[in-house]
Amino acid sequence: MYKLVFLLFLWSAAVPAVERVSVLALFPGKAMLNIDGQRKILSDGESFGEGFRLIEATPGQARVELNGKEQVMNLGTAVRADYAPAEKQEIRLLKQQNAFFIDGLINGQATRMLVDTGATHVALSERTARALGIPYVLEGRRSGVRTASGSAAAYDIKLRSLKLGNKSFTNVRAMVVEGDSPRHVLLGMNVLGHFEIEQQRNLMILRTR
């Protein structure tokens, strides 16, 4: 009897921990998965290896538990055991001069931007573009914009990078307006749309989605 208990203990200790899972196919109540290189079909509630369980499968998605963390997976997606979802970040802005300003990086250079929820895209003046070394004439496309003062000539360009807090963007569309206006870079909705925006009187909170 002691020998049998010892052998069972060795067998259970040898169960490997699941490291990587990907979804190959989905059915009502079942999912075909690639688990650490092995193709397996599991039913709702069934476990495999150490730390992995299929909670529920539908033709649209699979709800799984990996190392105690519940996650939703779609067809073709994969997840690792060491995966940790990024925490949401809050950027808090206090109103200054009746506006909200945020400090960030454009093409790696520190830049102060004015939050403008009424602007479709990022906008900056020729003066600012030159100060940032942006070759807007060479790389931009002649266009036009509508401002509070009327229509203005502009260049439609792509910013190589823009960073706010720990959120980074690449190939960001922007408009370089001829002349010295706007005074500050306008942060438009093509970037702000990636945040949840909450305003409380003199406080604005940008939360990463």
Side-chain angles (χ1 to χ4, degrees):
M1 179 176 177
Y2 291 110
K3 184 177 181 182
L4 177 60
V5 171
F6 181 66
L7 288 174
L8 287 174
F9 173 77
L10 286 179
W11 178 84
S12 61
V15 176
V18 173
E19 295 292 334
R20 189 176 189 278
V21 179
S22 59
V23 179
L24 301 178
L26 291 168
F27 314 95
K30 291 185 178 182
M32 181 185 291
L33 308 164
N34 186 312
I35 305 176
D36 291 340
Q38 300 181 60
R39 182 173 295 187
K40 296 289 180 182
I41 297 179
L42 301 184
S43 300
D44 287 354
E46 192 174 353
S47 300
F48 180 84
E50 183 181 335
F52 180 79
R53 180 169 68 97
L54 174 65
I55 300 173
E56 180 185 23
T58 69
Q61 63 183 25
R63 224 162 28 95
V64 305
E65 183 181 298
L66 182 58
N67 288 346
K69 296 179 182 178
E70 184 175 322
Q71 301 179 47
V72 175
M73 301 179 67
N74 298 315
L75 186 64
T77 60
V79 67
R80 293 181 60 89
D82 55 4
Y83 167 79
E87 293 184 2
K88 284 192 175 184
Q89 181 200 23
E90 283 191 358
I91 303 175
R92 293 175 173 255
L93 310 174
L94 289 174
K95 185 176 283 189
Q96 304 173 38
Q97 303 169 10
N98 206 35
F100 292 99
F101 293 90
I102 184 169
D103 293 314
L105 299 175
I106 290 181
N107 292 354
Q109 299 188 64
T111 308
R112 169 153 284 201
M113 292 166 260
L114 188 153
V115 176
D116 188 351
T117 56
T120 305
H121 301 99
V122 174
L124 59 158
S125 67
E126 282 187 306
R127 172 181 288 185
T128 302
R130 286 194 294 267
L132 293 172
I134 298 172
Y136 61 94
V137 176
L138 181 64
E139 297 181 359
R141 177 176 58 86
R142 289 284 290 179
S143 182
V145 293
R146 297 191 67 85
T147 68
S149 305
S151 299
Y155 292 86
D156 191 335
I157 65 164
K158 290 288 184 67
L159 301 175
R160 187 175 66 252
S161 65
L162 190 152
K163 186 173 183 180
L164 303 173
N166 64 6
K167 187 85 170 175
S168 297
F169 306 88
T170 58
N171 295 320
V172 178
R173 187 179 179 186
M175 306 299 291
V176 175
V177 184
E178 288 188 344
D180 298 335
S181 183
R183 180 181 174 188
H184 298 283
V185 175
L186 304 182
L187 188 63
M189 289 305 297
N190 61 324
V191 172
L192 291 172
H194 293 273
F195 295 86
E196 297 172 0
I197 303 173
E198 180 182 345
Q199 189 170 341
Q200 305 170 357
R201 295 187 179 181
N202 294 326
L203 174 68
M204 178 179 282
I205 303 172
L206 303 180
R207 294 189 184 91
T208 52
R209 293 185 184 275

